[in-house]
Amino acid sequence: RRLGMLRTEGGRASPPRGRFDYAPGDRIAGDLTVIGHLAVGRFGHLYQVWSATEWCALTCKIVASKRRDERAALAALRREARILRLVRHPDIVRSFGGGEHDGLPFLLMEYLEGPSLFDIIDNSPERQLDIDDAVPVAIHIGAALYHLHRNGFLYLDLKPANLLLRDGVPVLVDLGAVRRVPDPARPVRRVGTAPYMAPEHVRREPLSRACDVYGLGALLYEMLTGRWPFEDVYMHEEPSVDDARQYPQIRGE
C-alpha cells in the first residue's frame, strides 16, 4: 500500500445530525445545487452540492440562517476562507473559493466522501489501529501541521472527526479554529476539543506550535491504544457537555 493508505472496511460514516436550512434540489448562489446533507456545525451547515461551474460535486459550508446576525459566525467563515486561500497542501482540504447567498457567506471545498478517522477508529476492534496504519496517518497529519506552522498558523482543534479520507489518505478539514501564531500574550478564548488540548491551552496560557504537537501525540496515542491520554480524568469529571465520547468542544471566554 502507499504511505498512509488506510484499510476502510467497516469504517462507516456517521449519518448527519441536526436540522438543515436547505433541502436536496435547492439552489445556492445560482450554480450550486444541494444534493446531500453532510454536517451541522457550531456556526454553519455543510452540504454536498453539484457545481455547474466546476462540473463536479463539492462541499459547501454556509453560515446557518439563524446565525445571520451574529458577527462572530460571519467572521469565522470568512477567516476560514482566507486561510484556505493561503495554504495549499495535499493533506489539507482544497478550496474552490466561495461567495454569498442571501446575505450569508459560504465556502466551497473539495468533496471528501470519507469516512473520517473517527469512523475508522470507532469501528476498529477495541478502537485500535495497526501500527502500520497509525504511524503513516501521523506522518500525513504532521506534514499538514508543519505546512500550517510554516505559514504562521496554529490548527488548535486536531481530532479524528476533523480528518477525512481521500483514497485512504487522511486529509485535514475544518480550519474554523485556526489562528495566527500569537504574540506571547494570554489568549482571550479557548478553542479546541478537550482530550486533545495541550495543558497550556486548557489553562489559557500563551499558545505555540507545541499545542498542535501535543494534539498530534494525543491522536497517535488514541489510534494505538483505543483510549484518550488521561481518559480517566475526562470520563469521571463533570464535563460541560452531554457525552464526552462525542469529543466535546470547549469554547470559553
Side-chain angles (χ1 to χ4, degrees), residues 47-198:
Y47 299 91
Q48 184 187 13
V49 298
W50 179 262
S51 170
T53 301
E54 300 290 344
W55 202 246
C56 67
L58 297 174
T59 295
C60 177
K61 185 175 185 178
I62 185 169
V63 172
S65 59
K66 65 181 180 181
R67 306 285 192 183
R68 67 170 60 249
D69 295 325
E70 297 183 19
R71 287 187 294 177
L74 304 179
L77 193 137
R78 289 175 177 138
R79 182 181 64 249
E80 185 174 1
R82 288 195 301 270
I83 293 169
L84 277 174
R85 287 197 297 268
L86 293 173
V87 296
R88 292 187 176 275
H89 189 274
D91 297 317
I92 298 176
V93 64
R94 293 191 293 264
S95 170
F96 281 77
E100 286 197 0
H101 174 71
D102 192 24
L104 299 171
F106 67 84
L107 170 62
L108 289 175
M109 298 166 286
E110 65 175 310
Y111 171 65
L112 297 170
E113 186 176 4
S116 70
L117 185 60
F118 175 90
D119 298 315
I120 296 294
I121 293 174
D122 216 37
N123 287 281
S124 297
E126 298 184 353
R127 303 189 74 253
Q128 294 174 260
L129 301 186
D130 292 340
I131 192 169
D132 289 343
D133 285 325
V135 171
V137 166
I139 291 172
H140 278 281
I141 300 167
L145 294 175
Y146 178 69
H147 181 74
L148 284 171
H149 293 172
R150 286 196 63 185
N151 282 275
F153 295 107
L154 304 178
Y155 184 70
L156 296 180
D157 195 18
L158 194 60
K159 58 183 176 181
N162 281 349
L163 291 153
L164 295 181
L165 300 190
R166 183 202 297 129
D167 297 327
V169 176
V171 177
L172 200 62
V173 302
D174 193 356
L175 276 67
V178 169
R179 296 291 185 271
R180 285 279 184 186
V181 175
D183 295 328
R186 181 180 294 274
V188 176
R189 305 186 66 204
R190 290 185 298 170
V191 181
T193 302
Y196 310 96
M197 293 170 67

Side-chain angles (χ1 to χ4, degrees), residues 202-247:
V202 175
R203 293 195 297 261
R204 303 179 190 175
E205 295 174 353
L207 305 180
S208 71
R209 297 172 180 87
C211 294
D212 285 337
V213 175
Y214 180 95
L216 178 58
L219 187 61
L220 180 59
Y221 181 93
E222 181 180 12
M223 287 190 288
L224 293 174
T225 68
R227 295 171 54 86
W228 298 328
F230 314 110
E231 181 164 305
D232 291 343
V233 174
Y234 291 109
M235 299 307 290
H236 291 97
E237 68 179 5
E238 289 293 331
S240 59
V241 293
D242 295 332
D243 182 3
R245 273 292 178 193
Q246 296 303 312
Y247 301 91

